[in-house]
Amino acid sequence: MGADRFRSHVVPEQQELLEAASLEARRTGSLQLEVQIVRVDQQRRWVEVRGKVFYDESGTPVRMAGVITEITERKVAAQQLQFLSDELEVTNAKLEARNQDLLETNRQLKRTNVDLDNFIYTASHDLKAPILNIEGLLNALQGSLSPAPGAPEVAQILALMYGSVERFKTTIAQLTDVARLQQEYAQPATQVALAPVLEGVLLDLAPLLQDTGAQLEVHVEECPLVAFSEKNLRSVVYNLISNAVKYRHPGRVPRVQVRCRTEQQFLVLEVQDNGLGLDLANGQKLFVMFRRYHAHVEGSGIGLYMVKKMVENAGGRIEVVSAVGEGSTFSVYLPR
């Protein structure tokens, strides 16, 4: 194919590119170019042109010989690859911006958590003094009251007030523990023997177990050691077992099973009871601070919240299966 004929097939928008390449070839002696042409059937195709310039004795270019190779598929593939590369670059930029937003959100949440922890700690600390003053005033009032016909009613009212003060003191102490959870987040876990922790908890709960006639089955041989804070492990076990007994069904003797098994990545500590059970239709609220399902038993609604936080801070999770009137099973997953 002659140069003029080939030029006539090159698309108009690339004529200047072809002319510039031809002038450069006369100077250097070789031509390499990718251009788009229009075939006689009006289809556009990409071709690669490789040519060599021949000169006469005076150095004047006299002719060019070369090869024209169709590269449409390769060109289309390269264009698609470039498109994907551009899209990937845009996506990466968006992801990077999103990551920066998440990092900033995380920093703000951490600051908020610190502020909340400080507030809880300060509030619980500041409330201790007035509640102790109230307790002192009650003591003074009780000592100054002389026996009178209405004394039994007065004594009952004083007993109720003392009970309220004690519950308030317990809530303040638990709020302080909640504030400390965030400070303990980065503490390294240690290998804790589970059986002795359970024995200590059962000794502390002995009066409750005896009063209710609760039957306990403990099978934790498969998990001799647990990677956890010993104090937190005791708190988790204490809360789950005491709840299993406190929220017992009035029509049967409470029966509590404590088991432990190993999975690929976790040790799973289970506490199963035959108590009142829970309506988990709103299960997402089960571990919310001050949320209580059964109000007839005294409590602050903080225990399960603290259990969940302690377990999650250690990289674990807690799951619940329950049926109203039948009982509940709490499964604590702790990293091995």
Side-chain angles (χ1 to χ4, degrees):
M1 179 184 294
D4 292 338
R5 183 181 174 190
F6 175 76
R7 184 178 289 106
S8 68
H9 285 279
V10 175
V11 295
E13 58 267 28
Q14 292 187 340
Q15 287 289 339
E16 291 186 4
L17 176 64
L18 176 62
E19 184 62 28
S22 298
L23 290 174
E24 182 67 12
R26 292 189 183 94
R27 186 181 66 83
T28 62
S30 64
L31 173 68
Q32 183 174 350
L33 178 68
E34 293 179 1
V35 291
Q36 199 173 24
I37 64 170
V38 180
R39 300 194 318 190
V40 293
D41 59 3
Q42 300 306 305
Q43 288 190 16
R44 289 196 171 202
R45 313 295 287 180
W46 282 93
V47 296
E48 180 184 55
V49 181
R50 291 176 177 269
K52 181 179 180 180
V53 178
F54 294 89
Y55 303 89
D56 60 16
E57 295 178 353
S58 63
T60 302
V62 293
R63 65 187 181 88
M64 178 186 294
V67 178
I68 300 175
T69 305
E70 183 177 336
I71 59 169
T72 303
E73 291 184 2
R74 189 182 78 189
K75 194 73 175 178
V76 170
Q79 290 174 341
Q80 290 175 342
L81 184 61
Q82 183 60 46
F83 174 78
L84 291 175
S85 178
D86 293 342
E87 287 292 307
L88 182 60
E89 186 175 348
V90 171
T91 301
N92 286 338
K94 290 181 179 179
L95 288 174
E96 179 62 26
R98 179 61 176 166
N99 286 339
Q100 292 300 322
D101 290 342
L102 289 174
L103 287 173
E104 179 58 29
T105 301
N106 188 47
R107 284 192 288 266
Q108 292 177 359
L109 287 174
K110 286 182 177 179
R111 288 194 293 267
T112 301
N113 284 337
V114 171
D115 291 342
L116 287 173
D117 292 337
N118 291 336
F119 170 77
I120 292 174
Y121 189 83
T122 302
S124 61
H125 181 271
D126 291 346
L127 286 171
K128 288 179 182 178
I131 199 65
L132 290 175
N133 288 337
I134 292 174
E135 187 176 25
L137 291 173
L138 280 175
N139 291 334
L141 179 62
Q142 186 178 35
S144 65
L145 290 174
S146 57
E153 294 183 3
V154 172
Q156 183 180 8
I157 293 173
L158 285 173
L160 292 173
M161 294 178 71
Y162 274 118
S164 297
V165 168
E166 287 301 318
R167 286 192 296 273
F168 198 177
K169 287 164 65 177
T170 299
T171 300
I172 290 174
Q174 289 178 327
L175 284 174
T176 303
D177 290 338
V178 169
R180 288 172 180 164
L181 282 178
Q182 186 66 26
Q183 299 172 1
E184 296 176 352
Y185 179 82
Q187 289 186 357
T190 59
Q191 293 295 325
V192 181
L194 177 57
V197 171
L198 268 170
E199 291 175 5
V201 168
L202 295 181
L203 284 174
D204 290 342
L205 290 174
L208 176 63
L209 300 177
Q210 185 174 359
D211 290 344
T212 59
Q215 300 173 356
L216 262 76
E217 295 182 17
V218 179
H219 301 286
V220 295
E221 299 81 7
E222 194 173 340
C223 311
L225 297 176
V226 179
F228 206 61
S229 160
E230 182 173 356
K231 179 175 68 68
N232 289 350
L233 180 61
R234 185 191 181 284
S235 181
V236 168
V237 173
Y238 183 94
N239 272 281
L240 294 182
I241 295 179
S242 62
N243 283 352
V245 179
K246 284 193 300 183
Y247 298 105
R248 59 192 178 275
H249 195 285
R252 52 180 175 261
V253 174
R255 183 168 177 263
V256 182
Q257 300 179 61
V258 182
R259 303 182 295 266
C260 191
R261 69 178 189 274
T262 59
E263 292 190 356
Q264 186 174 4
Q265 297 179 342
F266 295 94
L267 296 179
V268 186
L269 177 64
E270 292 183 340
V271 177
Q272 180 179 359
D273 64 62
N274 64 342
L276 293 171
L278 301 165
D279 180 5
L280 296 179
N282 296 317
Q284 70 275 12
K285 297 181 179 179
L286 177 60
F287 298 100
V288 174
M289 195 184 302
F290 303 119
R291 176 67 166 90
R292 302 186 63 209
Y293 274 74
H294 302 294
H296 68 284
V297 177
E298 286 191 5
S300 61
I302 294 178
L304 284 180
Y305 169 83
M306 292 181 61
V307 167
K308 182 172 185 290
K309 287 299 180 184
M310 285 185 285
V311 171
E312 290 181 346
N313 284 353
R317 69 180 189 275
I318 184 168
E319 298 178 355
V320 186
V321 176
S322 188
V324 176
E326 297 181 14
S328 306
T329 300
F330 286 77
S331 300
V332 178
Y333 290 76
L334 298 174
R336 297 180 64 180

